[in-house]
């Protein structure tokens, strides 16, 4: 492989910084709200129904808007889409920080989440386009940045609010500043945008529906996302029911999410280590998750940090799936289409995690049934992940071998 020149290396480093900054913004809208939700409800007079809608809005937006991202990229280009997504996030976050209506707060939140949804989808094709020789490494870095953004927004929103006179509005507004500043470096990439102008390279939704790889990857993504959102929403509640105070339970959730950052960064080495046995990784994620839920169910108060670590490392399935999206398509167009399909379907399935956990807990009065459901999803992750890990290319499963697959490699 030819070594890039210093100029090209510099450009690649700049693009990497842009991708990392984009990824940092993709969960701030979610992470910043949960920690001040009680204050928001009180100040805006938000009803329990509206609060429930607010907590389920992320997965709905990620599913609905994410499925449309492919059309947006085709229309305006990949770099322009990233820039517009960040601007949308900034506008939504800034708007919701200073409204006095719960309805307007919901609308502004939906706007910011729409930008996040598009950003979610374009991460794999951005990695594929700019780092085709470093897909696993850069995907892992981007995924770590996504987790880092969620962790930072959850950890810093309250301190920022307290520093601003115990005002939650400034805590939320701070993240709009990050998004607005991130737009600036992306403006430099607009003159080198990438869009598909050849209709023969476009992949229609009807073609993806008939590709087993697309469905296996969507189901795999959905199973891991359901786990993640169930953990974000219910992990502290399970520990509190076991007798831990809310501060201790919150610290355990921080361990669960924080461990995902180094775990994601180790993923390229793990992919290389598994070599010709790629199925080891999805099944490792599945086993770690099952053991984590069993420990949380049977001995929640004895070693909560251990279950947090196991579930957190099991969540490395997220960067692994993102890496596979970039690896399982030959072209830029194929990666965009696959990412939109996988995340559009996957986030619909993801709603089963937090919603199903709540329903089963209410119906049974305990955590055994929800844990069983989540363990079953973990096993499905291993099954579908085994298929995704095989060296199958999307374009080979499209009608006629995939016209897009005959484009430049």
């Amino acid at each position: 492989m030819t070594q890039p020149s210093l100029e090209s290396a510099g450009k690649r480093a700049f693009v990497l910084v842009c991708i990392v900054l984009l990824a940092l913004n993709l969960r701030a809208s979610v992470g910043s709200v949960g920690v001040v939700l009680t204050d928001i409800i009180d100040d805006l007079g938000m009803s329990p129904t509206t609060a429930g809608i607010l907590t389920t809005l992320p997965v709905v937006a990620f599913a609905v808007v994410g499925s449309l991202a492919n059309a947006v990229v085709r229309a305006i280009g990949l770099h322009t889409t990233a820039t517009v997504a960040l601007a949308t996030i900034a506008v939504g976050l800034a708007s919701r920080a200073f409204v006095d209506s719960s309805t307007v707060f919901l609308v502004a939140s939906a706007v910011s989440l729409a930008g996040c949804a598009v950003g979610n989808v374009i991460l794999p094709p951005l990695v594929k386009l700019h780092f085709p020789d470093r897909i696993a490494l850069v995907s892992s870095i981007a995924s770590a940045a996504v987790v880092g953004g969620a962790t930072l927004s959850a950890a810093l929103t309250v301190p920022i609010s307290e520093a601003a006179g115990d005002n939650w509005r400034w805590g939320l507004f701070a993240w709009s500043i990050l998004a607005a500043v991130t737009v600036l470096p992306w403006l430099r990439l607009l003159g080198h945008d990438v869009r598909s102008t050849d209709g023969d390279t476009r992949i229609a939704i009807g073609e993806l529906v008939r590709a087993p790889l697309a469905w296996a990857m969507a189901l795999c993504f959905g199973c891991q996302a359901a786990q993640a959102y169930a953990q974000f929403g219910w992990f502290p509640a399970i520990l509190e029911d076991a007798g831990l105070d809310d501060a201790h339970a919150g610290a355990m959730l921080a361990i669960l999410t924080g461990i995902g950052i180094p775990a994601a960064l180790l993923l390229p080495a793990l992919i290389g280590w598994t070599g010709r046995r790629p199925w080891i990784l999805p099944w490792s994620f599945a086993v770690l998750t099952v053991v984590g839920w069993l420990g949380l169910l049977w001995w929640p108060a004895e070693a909560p940090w251990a279950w947090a670590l196991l579930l957190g490392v099991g969540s490395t399935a997220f960067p692994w799936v993102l890496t596979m999206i970039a690896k399982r398509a030959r072209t830029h167009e194929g990666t965009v289409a696959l990412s939109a399909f996988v995340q559009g379907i996957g986030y619909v399935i993801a709603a089963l995690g937090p919603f199903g956990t709540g329903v089963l807990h209410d119906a049974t009065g305990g955590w055994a049934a929800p844990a069983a459901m989540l363990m079953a999803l973990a096993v499905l992750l291993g099954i579908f992940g085994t298929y995704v890990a095989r060296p199958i290319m999307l374009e080979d499963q499209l009608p006629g071998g995939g016209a897009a697959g005959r484009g430049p490699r």
Side-chain angles (χ1 to χ4, degrees), residues 113-261:
L113 289 167
C116 295
V118 174
N120 290 337
V121 171
I122 63 176
L123 269 184
L126 281 169
V127 173
K128 177 80 169 183
L129 175 68
H130 292 288
F131 300 93
D133 56 335
R134 297 289 187 271
I135 288 176
L137 175 61
V138 178
S139 294
S140 299
I141 293 172
S143 300
V146 173
V147 177
T151 303
L152 287 173
S153 60
L156 298 180
T157 297
V158 171
I160 293 171
S161 301
E162 292 175 346
D166 202 19
N167 189 333
W168 60 267
R169 296 179 183 276
W170 290 107
L172 295 189
F173 181 73
W175 303 105
S176 70
I177 298 175
L178 173 64
V181 170
T182 303
V183 170
L184 299 179
W186 274 98
L187 294 175
R188 289 190 57 187
L189 297 177
L190 294 183
H192 308 279
D193 213 343
V194 179
R195 61 170 56 85
S196 173
T197 57
D198 183 357
D200 290 338
T201 67
R202 297 181 181 179
I203 300 176
I205 186 68
E207 296 178 282
L208 285 170
V209 166
R210 287 176 282 179
L213 176 64
W215 280 106
M217 196 169 287
L219 292 169
C220 191
F221 186 94
C223 289
Q224 67 79 25
Q227 293 285 341
Y229 282 93
Q231 291 163 14
F232 294 155
W234 294 105
F235 183 79
I238 297 173
L239 293 177
E240 289 172 21
D241 276 3
L244 275 68
D245 59 59
D246 56 352
H248 194 177
M252 293 302 101
L253 180 61
I255 291 175
L256 189 155
T257 56
I259 194 63
I261 298 174

Side-chain angles (χ1 to χ4, degrees), residues 85-105:
L86 284 165
T88 303
I89 294 170
V91 169
L93 291 177
S95 299
R96 76 178 184 180
F98 299 105
V99 302
D100 294 318
S101 164
S102 59
T103 300
V104 179
F105 188 92

Side-chain angles (χ1 to χ4, degrees), residues 21-48:
L21 289 173
L22 170 64
L24 276 172
N25 285 276
L26 297 183
R27 292 297 180 273
S29 181
V30 180
S32 59
V33 165
V35 292
V36 292
L37 183 57
T38 301
D39 294 332
I40 294 171
I41 292 172
D42 292 341
D43 283 2
L44 299 183
M46 190 176 289
S47 67

